[in-house]
Amino acid sequence: IMELAYVCEWEKRPKSVHCPSVPLVCSWSCRNLVAFTTDLKNDSDDTDVSHMIHIIDTEHPWDVYSINSGHSEVISCLEWDQSGSRLLSADGDGQIKCWWMSDHLVNSWESVLSSSVDGDPIVALSWLHNGVKLALHVEMSGSTNFGEKFSRVKFSPSLTLFGGKPMEGWLAVTVSGLVTVSLLKPGGALLTASESLCRLRGRVALADIAFTGGGNIVVAATDGSSSSPVQFYKVVVSVVSEKCRIDTELLPSLFLRCTTDPLRREKYPAVTHLKFLTRENSEQVLLCASNQSGSIVECWSLRKEGLPVNNIFQHRSPVVGEKQPTILKWRILTTTSDLERVSAVALPKLPISISNTDLKVASDTKFCPGLGLALAFHDGSIQILHRLSLHTMGVFYGSSSNQRAGEELAIKRQRPGGATLHFKALQFSWTSLALAGVDNHGKLHMLRVSPSMGQVLEMNTTLRHLLFLLEYCMVTGYDWWDVLLHVQPSMVHNLVEKLHEEYMRQNQALQQVLATRIVAVKASLCKLSTATAARACDFHAKLLLIAISSTLKSLLRPHVLNTPDKSPGDRLAEICSKNSDTDIDKVMINLKTEEFVLDGPPLQSLQQLIQWVGDFVLYLLANLPNQGSMVRPGFGFMRDGASLGMLREMLVMIRIWGLLKPGCLPTFTATSDNQDSMQLLFRLLTKLWLCSREDGPPQDPDESLIDECCLLPSQLLVPSMDWLPVNDGIIVRLQGKQPIRLQFGKASSLPTGGAVAAAAPLELFTRSPGSQKMDNLRCVHMGVCPTEESKACTRCGCVTMLRSPNKTNAMKQWEQRWIKNCLCGGLWRRIPPTLT
C-alpha cells in the first residue's frame, strides 16, 4: 500500500534540539518542488540551523538548496502558490516573506517582498484564491472528452481587479486573533491591512484557511483546548480608495464530540491538528485531539437544517410561498476510536468529486487517489484513512517499527519522550500517489502510495487509473513525476499507445494546446523501460523539431500588408503537402520567394539550428536500413508523416535562404566536390515521406530507397547523436522495490541500476569522460570541460548555458522561449560546479 521510495539524509547526522514541540514544516508544490524546514543543530559546531528553508525537486533530492531565511524565530508555515514557483514563509515573530526563483532556477531563490505583524506569531498562512478550480469525475473516466473528465467549477477569486482578473496576495492568521492581508498591486507594490477576527480577541493556537465559491474566505480557529469551541469566521477582502479593507463575520461554531462524551471528557485535553479537508471546501473540517500517549480524530460537516417552530405558531395559517426557516449547523460525520498519538496530518490535493455516483464508481473500480488522508504517529507508522468515513485504508510501518510483532511494538510505544523515529511533517503530492515526510532527525522520506491502496487489480484497470491521472496532469499542467513512481516497465508501451488514442479523440483546438505536453509525457514514460528508451530520444527530437519549425516559420513575413487569410508559413506547409516532387528546386518555384527575404544577421545567428535540421535528416536517412527493430533512435519518425513533412518544409526554407545568404546553409562533409547534399537529402526524404503520408495507407520503404540510404555514409559523413540529453534523475532508478538511501549534496552516492544499466550497451546513451559536452538548446558544443555556468532540466536532463553567448535579436528570441521552462516543460536547476 505504501512503499519507501528513497530517503535523503544529511552527511553529518544532526541531533534534535532543545524543544521537541517545535513543529517541522513541509510543503509540496504542483511542480514537484518540496520545501521543508529543520529544527536541528549540528553535532560538530552546535550551530543552530532552525531558521533554514530547504528546497529540492523530487527528481534530484540530493541537490538541496538551503536558504538562510533571515527569520528571527522558528518558521511555522510554508505555502506554495498555485503556479508552484513562489513560496511564502512565516515565523513566530509575525514575519512573512515571499520567495521567488532567481533566474527561474529551482536551486536559486531570493526574497523580494515581505510583510509583518510585529511580535505576533503566525499560525495559518495561505495565498488568496485565483478562482481556478477543477473537479475530477471518476464516473466519467471512460469518457472520450477531457472536458467531461475534468470540469471547470464556477469559483470566484478572493479579490478581483478591473475586468475580473484575480488579484494576487496572501492572508495570515496570528496567535492573538488578528487576520492580516497583503495584496500584490500590478506595479509591484504591497498593500497590507490587519483586522481582528472578532470583537473579543483571544488566543489562537491552531487555525486553517479555506475558500468559498462566492469569493469569501473562511477561517477556523481554536485556542488549543478541546473543551473550548472551534470558531469559524467569514473574511471578506476588498480594496476601497486604494486601501485594503477586511470585513469579518462570526459563523456557527462547534464543540468536539470527545468532550461531550462523559467517558472521554478529560481524556484528550488538547486540540493538536485543525484542517479543512480541502482548501476549496469550507464545509468539512478535520479535528484531532490528543494527550501524551494517544489521539482521536473527528470529521465534521456544515449542513443546512430546518429550524423547528414553537407550538404557538403551528396553528397560524401559512403564508403562500413561505418556507420553513433554516439554520447552518455543524454535524459530526464520523470519529475514530482511540489512536496512537498523531504527529502529523497530510490531506489529499487531488480535487476528486465526492458526489454519490463518483464515490460509488471509485469504490467499484478501486480508484483511491484523493479519497484518503494520512496520519503519522509517534511510533513511526503512517495510516491512510478514508476522508469521509475515517476507516483505515492502509498502514505503513516505519523504519523503527517494521518488525510487526505486537510485543516489540508495545515495547517501542512505551519509550518516553518520542525516542522512536517518527514524522513531524507530512505532505501528499498533487495526485496523491506519493507522500513526502520529514522525520525528527531531519531526514526526508519519499513514499509511494498505491492508486488502489494495495488491492489487486487487473492490468487494464491499473493502466486506466494511471492514464486518468496522466491526462489530469496534462490538462492542468501539473508535474506527473509522482504518477511515474507506479509505472512498471511492462506498462510503458500500452500507456503511451492509450494516451495517444485519448489525445486523438479531443477536438482540434485542445490538441493544439496539448501538442507539446503529450510529447513530453510520452518521453518521460519511455525512459522507464529499456524496450522503449530509444523512443524517448525520438520524442525529445520531436520537441526540438516542433520548436525550430515554429521559430523559423515565424521569421517569414508577407510581402504586402493586406495579407490573405493564410500566413506564409501556412502556405509553405500547404504547397509542400500537395507537391510531392522529389526535386527541391521544383518545389521552391511554387513559393513566393519575396516572403523569405530576410536580413543576413538573423539567418547567420540561427545557423546552428539550421545545421541541426540538416544533421537530423541525414541521421534519419542513414539509419533507415538499420531500423529492423525499435531499439534504435529515429524509428518513431519513419512512419510519422507529419514530422517528415515538417522536415521537408524546413529544407525548402533553408534552400531559399541559402540563395540569399550562403553562410546560413548547413555544412556537410562530402566525399565528392560536386555533391549537392541538400538536393540528395530532399529527394530521399520525400521518398520516405510518400510512404507515410496521412492521406494514404502506410507503406514500407521500397528496396531502391533503402539501397540509396545504404550508400549515404559513403557520400556524406553521418553525424553522431551526442545532442541527446542524458537524464541523471532518480526516477529510472526507482523501478525496483528496494528503497534508495541518499545524502544531501552527494549525487555520486546514487546507485546505478535498473533501466539505465540495461540500456548502457546502446552507444547513444554512453558519454565517455573525454566527450564533448553539448548545449542541447542552442545545438552548439561547449567543450570537454565547459567554463560557462550551465543549467539542466529537472525532468529530461537537457543542458544549456546559463548566460547567452549571442548578441543577435533572432537568437535572443529563441533563447527567451526557454527562460522559464525547458522544451519539455520541466524546470531549470543550476548545475553545481562539481557536477559540471
Side-chain angles (χ1 to χ4, degrees):
I1 295 168
M2 282 179 281
E3 296 171 340
L4 193 60
Y6 62 74
V7 183
C8 216
E9 61 183 334
W10 307 102
E11 184 176 3
K12 292 180 180 178
R13 181 164 300 188
K15 58 184 178 182
S16 294
V17 294
H18 43 281
C19 183
S21 63
V22 171
L24 297 187
V25 191
C26 178
S27 187
W28 192 326
S29 83
C30 62
R31 307 299 297 275
N32 274 327
L33 299 178
V34 175
F36 63 99
T37 63
T38 50
D39 61 333
L40 306 169
K41 286 185 179 179
N42 286 325
D43 281 332
S44 56
D45 54 3
D46 215 36
T47 307
D48 189 1
V49 290
S50 59
H51 312 320
M52 302 289 285
I53 300 173
H54 311 286
I55 299 176
I56 63 157
D57 72 278
T58 53
E59 179 72 336
H60 304 85
W62 58 86
D63 187 13
V64 64
Y65 184 73
S66 298
I67 304 170
N68 189 352
S69 66
H71 284 290
S72 57
E73 293 291 335
V74 172
I75 297 165
S76 57
C77 302
L78 289 176
E79 281 292 322
W80 291 99
D81 73 340
Q82 289 87 351
S83 69
S85 57
R86 288 178 298 182
L87 179 70
L88 289 177
S89 63
D91 67 11
D93 193 38
Q95 300 288 325
I96 303 172
K97 295 193 174 190
C98 180
W99 302 88
W100 303 58
M101 286 187 196
S102 175
D103 297 327
H104 306 286
L105 299 169
V106 299
N107 51 2
S108 182
W109 294 79
E110 59 183 356
S111 175
V112 289
L113 293 168
S114 64
S115 64
S116 67
V117 188
D118 289 337
D120 207 351
I122 306 295
V123 293
L125 181 66
S126 175
W127 290 88
L128 296 181
H129 204 284
N130 61 359
V132 177
K133 183 187 176 186
L134 279 179
L136 183 142
H137 300 282
V138 185
E139 180 193 7
M140 306 302 296
S141 59
S143 170
T144 58
N145 187 354
F146 285 173
E148 293 176 354
K149 296 180 183 180
F150 320 109
S151 64
R152 178 80 178 262
V153 179
K154 190 176 181 181
F155 209 87
S156 298
S158 304
L159 189 62
T160 53
L161 296 165
F162 179 76
K165 182 182 177 182
M167 191 169 189
E168 294 184 315
W170 58 81
L171 173 138
V173 180
T174 71
V175 76
S176 69
L178 272 183
V179 57
T180 176
V181 173
S182 301
L183 303 176
L184 291 170
K185 296 175 72 175
L190 205 59
L191 203 61
T192 61
S194 299
E195 187 65 55
S196 177
L197 279 172
C198 61
R199 290 182 181 178
L200 296 174
R201 284 171 64 180
R203 179 175 182 268
V204 176
L206 296 171
D208 199 21
I209 301 166
F211 302 91
T212 67
N216 297 326
I217 303 162
V218 178
V219 174
T222 175
D223 64 3
S225 171
S226 59
S227 58
S228 302
V230 179
Q231 302 278 9
F232 295 85
Y233 307 91
K234 181 172 82 172
V235 179
V236 180
V237 182
S238 55
V239 176
V240 181
S241 303
E242 292 294 314
K243 291 186 178 180
C244 180
R245 177 178 170 181
I246 304 171
D247 296 300
T248 61
E249 178 186 332
L250 191 62
L251 296 177
S253 57
L254 65 87
F255 281 92
L256 269 76
R257 168 64 64 87
C258 64
T259 60
T260 59
D261 183 351
L263 299 175
R264 290 176 172 166
R265 184 171 296 169
E266 306 293 337
K267 189 172 183 181
Y268 299 107
V271 179
T272 52
H273 296 88
L274 165 64
K275 299 276 187 183
F276 286 106
L277 280 182
T278 62
R279 62 192 296 271
E280 283 107 1
N281 185 358
S282 60
E283 298 176 357
Q284 287 184 336
V285 68
L286 188 82
L287 293 157
C288 175
S290 305
N291 57 27
Q292 288 297 319
S293 60
S295 298
I296 189 167
V297 175
E298 297 178 2
C299 186
W300 290 74
S301 177
L302 186 65
R303 294 179 180 176
K304 191 178 286 187
E305 295 184 356
L307 194 64
V309 181
N310 195 284
N311 292 334
I312 298 174
F313 304 102
Q314 291 291 348
H315 304 294
R316 186 173 64 87
S317 56
V319 179
V320 177
E322 184 180 353
K323 295 180 180 177
Q324 181 187 11
T326 58
I327 188 172
L328 288 172
K329 197 168 184 179
W330 285 99
R331 290 288 185 189
I332 191 163
L333 278 179
T334 184
T335 181
T336 64
S337 56
D338 295 340
L339 302 168
E340 178 75 26
R341 190 179 174 196
V342 173
S343 61
V345 177
L347 296 173
K349 299 184 178 74
L350 194 69
I352 185 170
S353 171
I354 52 172
S355 65
N356 290 332
T357 50
D358 280 303
L359 286 174
K360 185 179 185 306
V361 173
S363 175
D364 293 343
T365 59
K366 299 181 176 63
F367 181 84
C368 298
L371 287 178
L373 57 94
L375 301 179
F377 298 98
H378 274 260
D379 67 352
S381 64
I382 298 174
Q383 284 189 29
I384 293 187
L385 310 181
H386 194 282
R387 58 186 285 184
L388 298 180
S389 65
L390 295 186
H391 72 259
T392 304
M393 301 172 73
V395 182
F396 169 76
Y397 296 92
S399 57
S400 63
S401 57
N402 36 10
Q403 292 97 354
R404 310 277 178 95
E407 296 82 8
E408 293 195 19
L409 275 175
I411 292 169
K412 289 178 184 294
R413 286 173 181 167
Q414 289 168 8
R415 291 179 183 171
T420 55
L421 197 71
H422 62 273
F423 292 97
K424 296 189 73 174
L426 204 61
Q427 274 272 311
F428 266 114
S429 68
W430 282 68
T431 61
S432 302
L433 292 186
L435 271 170
V438 183
D439 66 23
N440 54 338
H441 288 178
K443 294 179 189 174
L444 178 78
H445 301 247
M446 184 65 61
L447 292 87
R448 307 179 233 245
V449 182
S450 165
S452 62
M453 286 297 157
Q455 301 172 85
V456 179
L457 298 180
E458 295 180 358
M459 180 59 78
N460 285 338
T461 309
T462 303
L463 288 175
R464 192 163 69 244
H465 290 174
L466 295 174
L467 182 68
F468 190 39
L469 293 170
L470 284 172
E471 291 166 352
Y472 168 72
C473 292
M474 273 175 47
V475 170
T476 57
Y478 297 159
D479 201 290
W480 52 89
W481 181 89
D482 42 342
V483 183
L484 300 182
L485 282 174
H486 301 271
V487 177
Q488 295 301 315
S490 58
M491 303 178 184
V492 170
H493 180 72
N494 287 335
L495 266 179
V496 171
E497 295 303 315
K498 289 180 184 292
L499 193 64
H500 183 73
E501 289 173 14
E502 292 296 322
Y503 168 79
M504 294 306 293
R505 290 173 180 165
Q506 309 309 308
N507 60 55
Q508 198 65 34
L510 186 57
Q511 283 190 26
Q512 283 189 334
V513 171
L514 303 177
T516 54
R517 206 172 285 167
I518 187 174
V519 178
V521 175
K522 289 177 180 177
S524 53
L525 280 170
C526 287
K527 284 180 182 172
L528 303 179
S529 169
T530 53
T532 54
R535 293 187 67 187
C537 304
D538 292 350
F539 290 128
H540 281 297
K542 189 168 183 177
L543 285 170
L544 189 55
L545 175 62
I546 293 170
I548 293 176
S549 174
S550 59
T551 298
L552 296 184
K553 284 182 179 179
S554 70
L555 298 175
L556 305 180
R557 294 288 182 269
H559 185 56
V560 287
L561 290 178
N562 53 341
T563 57
D565 295 337
K566 292 182 179 177
S567 66
D570 292 336
R571 279 201 300 278
L572 170 67
E574 185 180 14
I575 290 170
C576 287
S577 64
K578 290 180 179 177
N579 192 329
S580 58
D581 204 306
T582 56
D583 190 334
I584 191 170
D585 295 324
K586 290 181 180 177
V587 177
M588 195 172 63
I589 290 171
N590 298 313
L591 295 167
K592 296 178 180 178
T593 51
E594 59 269 17
E595 293 177 344
F596 293 80
V597 175
L598 297 174
D599 295 332
L603 288 176
Q604 192 63 48
S605 63
L606 294 172
Q607 198 276 333
Q608 63 259 38
L609 302 183
I610 293 172
Q611 181 69 45
W612 182 88
V613 174
D615 286 346
F616 187 65
V617 172
L618 175 55
Y619 173 85
L620 282 183
L621 294 171
N623 281 279
L624 177 63
N626 302 325
Q627 297 294 346
S629 66
M630 293 181 66
V631 174
R632 298 185 67 83
F635 182 88
F637 285 89
M638 300 309 171
R639 296 292 176 89
D640 187 353
S643 296
L644 294 174
M646 207 182 295
L647 287 167
R648 276 185 89 237
E649 295 162 20
M650 284 193 280
L651 286 183
V652 173
M653 266 196 294
I654 293 166
R655 182 73 164 191
I656 297 173
W657 285 336
L659 300 175
L660 306 170
K661 181 76 176 177
C664 76
L665 285 171
T667 55
F668 300 100
T669 305
T671 54
S672 172
D673 294 337
N674 57 0
Q675 173 71 60
D676 189 344
S677 304
M678 291 283 287
Q679 180 75 265
L680 172 64
L681 293 177
F682 185 83
R683 179 167 59 83
L684 298 178
L685 181 63
T686 302
K687 287 184 178 181
L688 181 60
W689 170 68
L690 290 172
C691 297
S692 55
R693 290 180 67 176
E694 294 177 351
D695 53 356
Q699 305 169 6
D700 290 327
D702 58 16
E703 292 295 328
S704 62
L705 174 59
I706 292 177
D707 289 343
E708 287 189 86
C709 290
C710 284
L711 293 173
L712 260 183
S714 62
Q715 298 169 298
L716 299 170
L717 181 65
V718 180
S720 65
M721 292 284 282
D722 57 357
W723 45 265
L724 283 168
V726 178
N727 188 13
D728 62 343
I730 200 171
I731 193 71
V732 292
R733 295 167 170 85
L734 295 176
Q735 300 307 303
K737 295 298 182 182
Q738 292 300 317
I740 296 176
R741 302 194 69 84
L742 305 163
Q743 286 185 353
F744 289 119
K746 275 196 173 183
S748 58
S749 62
L750 203 64
T752 56
V756 175
L762 293 175
E763 67 275 5
L764 67 127
F765 290 103
T766 55
R767 299 283 187 274
S768 64
S771 64
Q772 288 270 348
K773 305 295 188 298
M774 281 293 297
D775 185 320
N776 300 120
L777 278 185
R778 296 182 178 90
C779 302
V780 294
H781 289 278
M782 295 193 296
V784 176
C785 296
T787 55
E788 290 289 326
E789 277 194 292
S790 303
K791 59 184 179 181
C793 174
T794 58
R795 182 184 291 157
C796 70
C798 179
V799 175
T800 186
M801 284 179 280
L802 200 56
R803 294 174 186 84
S804 173
N806 301 285
K807 304 299 180 186
T808 58
N809 289 332
M811 202 60 199
K812 282 182 181 177
Q813 177 192 352
W814 167 259
E815 291 164 354
Q816 283 295 318
R817 295 173 63 132
W818 321 116
I819 286 291
K820 291 184 178 180
N821 301 105
C822 173
L823 279 163
C824 68
L827 296 169
W828 295 113
R829 66 186 184 99
R830 188 195 302 267
I831 302 177
T834 52
L835 297 180
T836 307

